[in-house]
């Protein structure tokens, strides 16, 4: 039950913002009830304005891989802010970030910083169209790549949660230039390329489909897709806004042995500050202004606060990776999945789950969830009851079954035991 202070805050917010929020999923539409309002975060915990504490598995939808208010990140931001927050001319921090990105993700030979994942994906697609001279792009049902016009066709997560049409407000001509395929179905991709290959500029795909609940690719799927795309002269764009530095230090590209033409980044790369990036092969990226004719700009792109927060986070992760951080996060996520599945099945409830790196997904669904159709067929009413039952026990999952859960470096055995106990109690109450 949302506390009185949060209820009052939400009533006031709805007077001034659409639905009372600045991003749709925050309104709790998929799970019912009203959202609580955050007061502060500390490590693996989020505190609301009513004084409640939650083990947080949203983590600002992924960026906070070091948890809330990590002292190294906060100190770096404060020290940098004293010098100024934005300059409009280059800083050495931007070059330092570019070097770090290339070091961790070698496929990114040249990178352009932007302010959001949406900016990154839409800029990468514009660049792909310009570089290939072709107009069509291919995306996958349930994969969300931001809210640019051409990417809101059969998107997952918020669009599906709110029951919106495929592309409201998007011109039909734009929608027609976006071809969609089922995720994890390589044969369907082969059939499409056999018919339309000469028109296709690029394929864009998430490393793990986070906006259908955290669905990993089938073994060999992404590699096969990459080879298919290249055989037809199109570009392979790997959307790592969510998976970058999260499923492995080198992201999904490293985890699955991929060599994308372009990669988009966001979330973790900013350490909790607004940021995005796109980069890839030098010959392609040199088409971006001022090196080339493809225009893209941003007043706050590469601002020093985002750069230093991101650099501090990436340096910390680089050190922690040597101590097995990513394996520990995946083991933690698998423990959550296991107790969910074991308890659910023991009670005769259809359940499924999966974990990879610092991501996990829980579904009220019988059998594997490998694509958007299966994710959408999961019981969202059961998930809503489960979500609120967990809140009552101090555990915060994403307020949508179609969103991935996230783990941090500071989630420990203490929080895991709390979570396992809360999952058992929540499932027993259904």
């Amino acid at each position: 039950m949302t506390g009185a202070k949060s209820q009052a805050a939400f009533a006031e917010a709805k007077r001034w913002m659409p639905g009372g929020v600045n991003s749709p999923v925050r309104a709790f539409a998929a799970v019912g009830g009203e959202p609580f309002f955050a007061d502060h975060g500390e490590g693996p915990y989020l505190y609301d304005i009513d004084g409640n504490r939650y083990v947080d598995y949203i983590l600002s939808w992924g960026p906070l891989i070091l948890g809330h208010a990590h002292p190294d990140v906060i100190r770096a931001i404060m020290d940098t802010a004293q010098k100024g927050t934005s300059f409009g001319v280059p800083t050495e921090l931007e070059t330092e970030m570019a070097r770090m990105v290339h070091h961790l993700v070698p496929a990114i030979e040249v990178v352009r910083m932007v302010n959001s994942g949406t900016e990154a994906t839409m800029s990468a697609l514009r660049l792909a169209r310009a570089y290939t001279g072709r107009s069509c792009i291919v995306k996958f049902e349930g994969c969300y790549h931001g809210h640019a016009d051409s990417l809101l066709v059969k998107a997952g997560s918020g669009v599906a949660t709110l029951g919106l049409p495929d592309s409201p407000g998007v011109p039909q001509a734009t929608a027609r230039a976006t071809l969609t395929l089922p995720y994890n179905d390589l044969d369907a991709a082969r059939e499409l390329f056999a018919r339309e290959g000469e028109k296709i500029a690029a394929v864009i795909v998430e490393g793990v489909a986070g906006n259908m609940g955290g669905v990993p690719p089938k073994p060999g799927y992404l590699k096969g897709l990459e080879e298919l795309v290249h055989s037809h002269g199109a570009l392979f764009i790997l959307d790592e806004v969510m998976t970058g530095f999260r499923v492995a230090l080198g992201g999904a590209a490293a985890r699955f042995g991929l060599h994308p033409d372009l990669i988009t980044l966001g979330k973790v790369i900013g350490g909790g500050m607004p940021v995005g990036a796109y980069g890839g092969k030098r010959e392609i990226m040199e088409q971006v202004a001022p090196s080339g004719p493809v225009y893209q700009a941003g007043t706050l792109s590469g601002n020093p606060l985002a750069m230093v927060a991101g650099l501090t986070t990436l340096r910390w992760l680089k050190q922690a990776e040597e101590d097995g951080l990513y394996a520990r996060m995946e083991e933690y996520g698998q423990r959550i999945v296991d107790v969910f599945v074991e308890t659910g099945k023991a009670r005769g409830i259809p359940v499924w789950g999966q974990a990879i790196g610092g991501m996990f997904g829980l579904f009220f669904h019988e059998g594997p969830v490998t694509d958007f159709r299966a994710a959408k067929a999961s019981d969202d009413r059961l998930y809503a009851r489960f979500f609120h039952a967990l809140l009552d026990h101090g555990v915060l999952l994403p307020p949508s079954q179609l969103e991935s859960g996230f783990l941090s470096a500071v989630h420990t055995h203490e929080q895991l035991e709390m979570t396992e106990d809360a999952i058992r109690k929540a499932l027993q109450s259904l």
Side-chain angles (χ1 to χ4, degrees):
M1 181 70 178
T2 303
K5 289 184 178 179
S6 287
Q7 289 178 345
F10 192 45
E12 179 67 10
K14 286 189 287 187
R15 294 182 60 196
W16 309 107
M17 293 177 280
V21 294
N22 281 312
S23 189
V25 74
R26 299 177 193 173
F28 283 25
V31 292
E34 294 185 339
F36 66 82
F37 274 53
D39 179 76
H40 69 284
E42 182 179 357
Y45 296 111
L46 182 61
Y47 297 78
D48 70 19
I49 60 176
D50 291 280
N52 299 304
R53 186 186 77 169
Y54 307 96
V55 180
D56 184 11
Y57 295 109
I58 295 178
L59 296 171
S60 191
W61 302 103
L64 303 181
I65 197 168
L66 304 189
H68 290 277
H70 191 281
D72 293 349
V73 176
I74 298 300
R75 189 180 307 113
I77 292 172
M78 292 178 67
D79 290 347
T80 302
Q82 291 178 0
K83 300 177 182 180
T85 58
S86 182
F87 303 114
V89 296
T91 68
E92 290 181 309
L93 281 171
E94 296 166 79
T95 305
E96 196 172 350
M97 172 62 88
R99 279 199 302 265
M100 176 66 81
V101 169
H102 170 69
H103 175 73
L104 297 179
V105 189
I108 299 180
E109 298 172 353
V110 178
V111 64
R112 167 62 60 85
M113 303 304 300
V114 291
N115 294 291
S116 70
T118 292
E119 274 191 66
T121 55
M122 74 179 192
S123 300
L125 290 178
R126 179 187 301 155
L127 176 57
R129 285 182 167 125
Y131 183 79
T132 62
R134 302 175 182 178
S135 59
C136 289
I137 64 165
V138 176
K139 69 176 295 291
F140 296 86
E141 295 173 2
C143 285
Y144 177 73
H145 305 286
H147 60 265
D149 282 359
S150 61
L151 294 170
L152 278 181
V153 179
K154 295 192 177 179
S157 185
V159 174
T161 295
L162 296 174
L164 298 174
D166 282 342
S167 49
V170 177
Q172 289 186 1
T174 301
R176 282 196 297 270
T178 303
L179 310 175
T180 58
L181 287 170
Y183 184 72
N184 264 333
D185 186 342
L186 194 54
D187 286 339
R190 292 190 181 105
E191 292 174 8
L192 176 65
F193 269 91
R195 296 194 313 269
E196 309 286 349
E198 62 184 19
K199 303 176 184 177
I200 296 171
V203 166
I204 185 168
V205 64
E206 291 183 87
V208 173
N211 289 104
M212 61 175 90
V215 177
K218 292 179 179 178
Y221 172 68
L222 291 179
K223 191 65 179 176
L225 185 62
E226 180 182 64
E227 293 170 353
L228 173 66
V229 170
H230 286 157
S231 71
H232 286 268
L235 300 189
F236 183 68
I237 303 175
L238 188 62
D239 182 351
E240 297 232 47
V241 169
M242 202 173 287
T243 57
F245 317 108
R246 177 160 278 286
V247 298
L249 184 62
R255 176 130 191 176
F256 302 117
L258 305 173
H259 300 87
D261 299 292
L262 294 170
I263 294 175
T264 61
L265 296 168
K267 298 187 184 289
V268 169
I269 198 178
M273 299 293 287
V275 76
Y278 65 105
K281 294 179 179 177
R282 181 175 297 276
E283 64 183 276
I284 300 173
M285 289 300 297
E286 285 183 346
Q287 296 299 306
V288 177
S291 295
V294 181
Y295 192 74
Q296 179 269 312
T299 297
L300 295 176
S301 295
N303 81 84
L305 299 189
M307 295 299 94
V308 77
L311 276 167
T312 303
T313 299
L314 295 182
R315 289 179 187 134
W316 201 99
L317 291 174
K318 183 180 177 184
Q319 180 63 45
E321 192 266 349
E322 297 175 4
D323 298 325
L325 169 64
Y326 290 92
R328 288 200 305 275
M329 286 195 296
E330 186 160 326
E331 182 181 1
Y332 188 122
Q334 191 60 51
R335 285 276 298 274
I336 290 176
V337 168
D338 288 346
V339 73
F340 174 74
V341 172
E342 289 167 7
T343 307
K345 286 186 175 179
R347 292 188 56 79
I349 301 171
V351 287
W352 180 261
Q354 44 217 358
I356 180 169
M359 301 171 66
F360 67 92
L362 305 177
F363 302 89
F364 286 91
H365 185 276
E366 188 70 54
V369 176
T370 60
D371 57 25
F372 190 50
R373 189 169 302 174
K376 280 285 288 177
S378 301
D379 193 329
D380 53 4
R381 290 174 296 181
L382 265 182
Y383 183 86
R385 291 169 58 193
F386 177 66
F387 169 85
H388 285 288
L390 281 181
L391 272 189
D392 291 340
H393 290 97
V395 173
L396 175 63
L397 287 185
S400 169
Q401 194 168 202
L402 296 179
E403 291 281 0
S404 173
F406 296 101
L407 298 166
S408 80
V410 295
H411 280 83
T412 68
H413 190 71
E414 177 184 354
Q415 290 81 46
L416 178 58
E417 286 189 339
M418 291 173 58
T419 303
E420 290 176 325
D421 184 58
I423 288 172
R424 292 187 184 101
K425 290 177 178 177
L427 287 171
Q428 288 166 4
S429 70
L430 298 183

